[in-house]
Amino acid sequence: MTLDSRLATVVDAARSKKAFRIRLVDVKDIASFTDTFAFMSGGSDRQNRAIAEAIEDALKLAGERPISREGEANGNWVLLDYGNLVVHVMDEETRRHYNLEGLWSAGRELELPAETHPASDARP
């Protein structure tokens, strides 16, 4: 699975659980521990856990498992570490407080894949 298809999988899984403010940031030239960050928000700890679980399930179908998972107990910030991809699912307050996107602003923003709509969602 290429990184591009993996990122598309992450974004699609997050969107399936109504994640918002999704951002992908390429940090391979400025970080020694990962290549890409995925940042996204959920509206509650329950939604954050559901988003993280959807991402983990989708990547598991492609044969990938996280190296580690953090934050599931309280749910305001769930982190999935896949080595060269680190996924952050946060509520808005936590996201503003830690401002990781600001800390990694020297990274290159990646374009999100287009949204796909299942045929059952098609309107006549």
Side-chain angles (χ1 to χ4, degrees):
M1 173 178 256
T2 67
L3 186 58
D4 288 342
S5 66
R6 178 165 44 155
L7 290 176
T9 298
V10 167
V11 171
D12 286 345
R15 285 175 173 159
S16 78
K17 296 300 179 184
K18 308 296 187 215
F20 54 94
R21 290 203 327 114
I22 300 170
R23 292 185 64 200
L24 302 173
V25 181
D26 179 335
V27 294
K28 67 177 161 260
D29 293 332
I30 58 173
S32 60
F33 59 93
T34 194
D35 292 342
T36 308
F37 284 126
F39 298 105
M40 61 204 63
S41 292
S44 67
D45 58 342
R46 186 174 178 182
Q47 184 182 13
N48 290 345
R49 285 191 291 271
I51 294 165
E53 184 177 318
I55 292 167
E56 189 172 357
D57 288 347
L59 289 177
K60 197 180 296 182
L61 288 174
E64 294 196 53
R65 297 187 186 279
I67 295 166
S68 68
R69 289 179 300 218
E70 303 291 332
E72 290 171 314
N74 105 2
N76 65 330
W77 181 358
V78 181
L79 181 140
L80 300 172
D81 183 352
Y82 286 91
N84 63 352
L85 169 63
V86 178
V87 178
H88 298 273
V89 184
M90 297 179 262
D91 63 34
E92 284 295 289
E93 182 180 339
T94 303
R95 193 168 176 175
R96 276 190 304 275
H97 178 77
Y98 288 99
N99 190 27
L100 294 181
E101 292 145 288
L103 291 173
W104 294 99
S105 63
R108 182 175 58 93
E109 183 108 20
L110 301 175
E111 187 174 339
L112 293 180
E115 288 195 52
T116 57
H117 299 284
S120 63
D121 284 353
R123 304 282 192 271

